[in-house]
Amino acid sequence: MPELSRRRALTTAAALAATAAATGTAAAHSANATPSGSPGSPDAFDEVYKGRRIQGRPSSGGGHHGGGHHGGDHHGGGFAVYVDGVELHVMRNADGSWISVISHYAPVPTPRAAARAAVDELQGARLLPFPTN
Amino acid sequence: MTVRKNQASLTADEKRRFVAAVLELKRNGRYDAFVTTHNAFIVGDTDNGERTGHRSPSFLPWHRRFLLEFERALQSVDASVALPYWDWSVDRSPRSSLWAPDFLGGTGRARDGRVSDGPFAAAGGNWPIAVRVDGRTFLRRALGAGVRELPTRAEVDSVLAMPTYDMAPWNSGSDGFRNHLEGWRGVNLHNRVHVWVGGQMATGVSPNDPVFWLHHAYIDKLWAEWQRRHPEAGYLPAAGTPDVVDLHETMKPWNDTAPADLLDHTPHYTFDTA
């Protein structure tokens, strides 16, 4: 699996670089509210949950996915979630609830809840990066 | 002619042949292509964008075609095999014969969810989880842990009573039969069963668990039951709907079949009971 590991390492590095960039703008994002087309876009978050770092932030869809994300259009309604720096595919439902690829049939109220549900489900296992997931 | 039977009524020989055919598709690599296709659609189908396999009217015809492809693959291994269905409103316990070691094997162990008996247990070496979203390569389940109860027959009947196939906005926010059967709204049938099984069945790579096919074969049967109860009602929308598969539009990934071509299951298979 050297190929996978290398890709994972690159994605993680890209995610960490994006973290550094996003940290400076997170406050501005919450204050400015609403990216186009997603009313009530959730706030960024960054916490350690059950020993793992989960992060979420508005995503313009530009740049930080690197070459990994096919299509380039993020389906989280302009919001990206990471577990230990690896992107977790999330999706916003029409009613405002959220799911992730790890818990795809059980909507929860927020992307932070989706990230926590993923950590619960992973039981310590590492998440595989796009495009694998 | 293919007859799809209730899994609870299969003979020992029918179970053995079904399992052997599934394992052969796994061995020769064809099985994992189905998992890949399903995950691609589940992450690609969105409420406000293009949607084909899920959260849309074509959820039912898309899965009907997907199951037909899988059943034909099984039959290329053993022509006697048909997809069984799991009526989870009746066989609603982890002690059901469905989960016995001679068929699908049981729930996962507490520590890591690993299924430890049956033909799909990792220890047997015949069921590596290759198409996956995390590092774990063994089949997992947690029967009844994510949600306590499977749907009841009364809940199924309440959904079958809905007279309209689907409604605008044709997604997870819709009223109507399709979305209540899919489970994004109301008592929640299909989605809840995925959650009840747990493990890979709760994820985008749910076909990693062979029960995926038995679950969807029953969802497909419920569509047929709904059609019989509402002979005047048909697939909607009829035409001109952006991002949504209309009655006569072809569906990805096959691009040669429209919902209209799949409304009648009887050219392909029948069921053991009406």
Side-chain angles (χ1 to χ4, degrees):
Chain A
M1 311 270 290
E3 173 61 23
L4 255 188
S5 307
R6 189 174 58 83
R7 195 195 302 147
R8 176 168 187 258
L10 289 171
T11 308
T12 305
L16 292 175
T19 305
T23 309
T25 56
H29 268 296
S30 1
N32 277 351
T34 320
S36 59
S38 49
S41 182
D43 290 332
F45 63 88
D46 187 342
E47 69 178 20
V48 175
Y49 174 75
K50 293 190 175 175
R52 307 187 70 170
R53 188 175 188 188
I54 56 173
Q55 298 163 281
R57 54 178 173 270
S59 152
S60 63
H64 74 271
H65 291 312
H69 194 345
H70 50 87
D73 171 36
H74 202 280
H75 294 143
F79 200 87
V81 171
Y82 301 85
V83 176
D84 291 337
V86 179
E87 184 166 7
L88 171 70
H89 186 278
V90 296
M91 186 182 292
R92 184 179 205 160
N93 294 321
D95 66 358
S97 62
W98 292 76
I99 53 174
S100 84
V101 74
I102 293 282
S103 187
H104 200 90
Y105 303 92
V108 291
T110 64
R112 185 197 298 255
R116 289 176 171 177
V119 168
D120 292 342
E121 165 61 23
L122 284 166
Q123 295 183 290
R126 69 188 170 94
L127 187 63
L128 297 185
F130 290 127
T132 311
N133 78 20
Chain B
M1 171 50 98
T2 299
V3 179
R4 293 189 180 173
K5 299 176 182 173
N6 189 320
Q7 60 79 26
S9 66
L10 295 185
T11 65
D13 186 57
E14 287 170 327
K15 291 181 186 181
R16 189 184 57 76
R17 285 173 170 272
F18 174 77
V19 166
V22 171
L23 290 176
E24 172 57 17
L25 293 184
K26 183 70 165 183
R27 192 198 62 77
N28 68 25
R30 295 175 72 187
Y31 192 95
D32 285 340
F34 286 93
V35 186
T36 299
T37 296
H38 186 267
N39 193 46
F41 277 82
I42 217 163
V43 302
D45 297 322
T46 60
D47 275 339
N48 297 311
E50 185 176 330
R51 48 199 185 274
T52 302
H54 306 86
R55 56 180 68 236
S56 59
S58 46
F59 167 71
L60 290 170
W62 190 91
H63 281 84
R64 176 165 284 178
R65 173 66 186 265
F66 190 56
L67 264 63
L68 273 169
E69 296 285 330
F70 183 70
E71 188 170 56
R72 288 166 184 157
L74 290 173
Q75 291 172 345
S76 75
V77 175
D78 181 341
S80 77
V81 170
L83 281 184
Y85 62 86
W86 169 32
D87 180 350
W88 25 254
S89 75
V90 172
D91 296 305
R92 43 191 299 105
S93 160
R95 294 176 301 282
S96 159
S97 62
L98 173 66
W99 308 111
D102 69 339
F103 201 14
L104 300 191
T107 194
R109 64 190 186 188
R111 178 161 65 81
D112 58 3
R114 186 187 304 242
V115 170
S116 303
D117 68 348
F120 306 102
N126 295 318
W127 202 253
I129 303 298
V131 181
R132 58 188 194 267
V133 295
D134 60 58
R136 293 169 290 183
T137 57
F138 51 89
L139 180 67
R140 292 177 294 111
R141 293 183 188 129
L143 304 183
V147 60
R148 188 181 298 272
E149 298 291 341
L150 288 163
T152 64
R153 185 66 215 186
E155 288 171 327
V156 169
D157 284 334
S158 74
V159 172
L160 290 176
M162 296 179 175
T164 305
Y165 177 76
D166 206 346
M167 299 186 197
W170 320 108
N171 62 18
S172 75
S174 290
D175 200 353
F177 168 69
R178 186 275 310 166
N179 197 37
H180 280 81
L181 178 61
E182 190 170 359
W184 300 112
R185 187 160 174 167
V187 297
N188 185 357
L189 302 182
H190 154 268
N191 282 355
R192 193 192 336 171
V193 176
H194 277 275
V195 175
W196 186 90
V197 175
Q200 281 90 1
M201 259 294 270
T203 75
V205 291
S206 46
N208 272 312
D209 191 329
V211 80
F212 174 92
W213 309 104
L214 284 73
H215 174 35
H216 271 279
Y218 186 58
I219 293 294
D220 182 80
K221 184 171 187 288
L222 291 177
W223 183 22
E225 288 183 26
W226 179 85
Q227 289 173 309
R228 273 202 310 281
R229 289 196 196 194
H230 305 277
E232 74 295 345
Y235 180 94
L236 293 170
T241 318
D243 293 326
V244 170
V245 181
D246 297 315
L247 178 62
H248 295 288
E249 275 185 327
T250 59
M251 291 186 294
K252 294 176 181 175
W254 309 287
N255 299 316
D256 62 359
T257 311
D261 304 317
L262 289 162
L263 303 180
D264 180 6
H265 64 84
T266 61
H268 308 291
Y269 53 88
T270 57
F271 293 103
D272 54 353
T273 56

